[in-house]
Amino acid sequence: MSIHPSAVVDPTAQIGRDVEIGPFAMVEAGAEIGDRCKLGPRSTVKSGVTLGCDNALSEGAVLGGLPQLAAPTGPPGRLVVGDRNVFRENVTVHLAMTEQGVTRIGNDCLLMVASHVAHDCVVADRVILTNNVMLAGHVTVGERAFLGGGSAVHQHCRVGRIAMVGGMARIVQDVLPFVTIDGDTGAVVGLNRVGLRRSGMSREEMAEIKEAYRIIYRSGESFADRLMMLSERFQEGPAAELEPFLRDTSRGYARERRSPPGGTIRVIDDAMDAPVLEMTEQKSKRRAG
């Protein structure tokens, strides 16, 4: 391993093979760091953190900070991080709120500059949090979800897998899997088609997701009837994930933005052509006269 002379590493910390620890980095007592991890300058891995292999921390990243609570309830829990994650400059991830709790980060995630993951969050594999994303406590983010810059997710909300959240969005209800959230309104504006294609889904699976989307947002049925329609129509495949996701919601789910904010001008060809034709005929008659 390579440890810079200015780094502070507690002798009780467990350090794997081929680990690099940069200038002024800190590893506290009881921290566990897997093989081939790289801790950049001024990065910190605090007590209660378990890092898998091949993780990279950039300057100023802090993993394992205490939960931000007005009235702490006792000793905090742990933070468990998987493999091959990248934590860019000044990222913060906090320990769980209670001693039995765990904050979890999966594998192959990218947390960009100054993003924050609060206590008791669960972030699945291949998630991207762009600059200044804020996850409040007890938030769950599904596999391959993408959250745009400056977006904020309210505590206890869920962001479904392969969902895309636009920059600066305010998420106060669950975001269904596979949908796109508009950053301006925080409402659903359709499916995340790019994400679906990149995930390797077949055309048939994407067609079923589109059908399920129409049942949820455009069928006009009651919530109970929509759940029944989904469970009867989709027994397997990605579309089958939507019914249990909806059934388990505690905060409700993000609604669809049916029209853009503000007025919309719709040009109707017949309405435009008729006056133009009439004016042309009148001009022709005047010239003939």
Side-chain angles (χ1 to χ4, degrees), residues 53-55 81-86 105-111 123-128 144:
C53 301
D54 301 292
N55 293 289
V81 179
D83 302 329
R84 300 177 302 278
N85 299 286
V86 175
I105 306 290
N107 303 316
D108 303 294
C109 296
L110 171 59
L111 282 69
V123 178
D125 300 342
R126 300 188 180 185
V127 168
I128 297 178
R144 289 179 177 267

Side-chain angles (χ1 to χ4, degrees), residues 137-158:
H138 303 278
V139 165
T140 299
V141 182
E143 180 184 4
R144 289 179 177 267
F146 179 97
L147 279 71
S151 56
V153 184
H154 192 281
Q155 60 184 354
H156 295 283
C157 283
R158 298 176 296 163

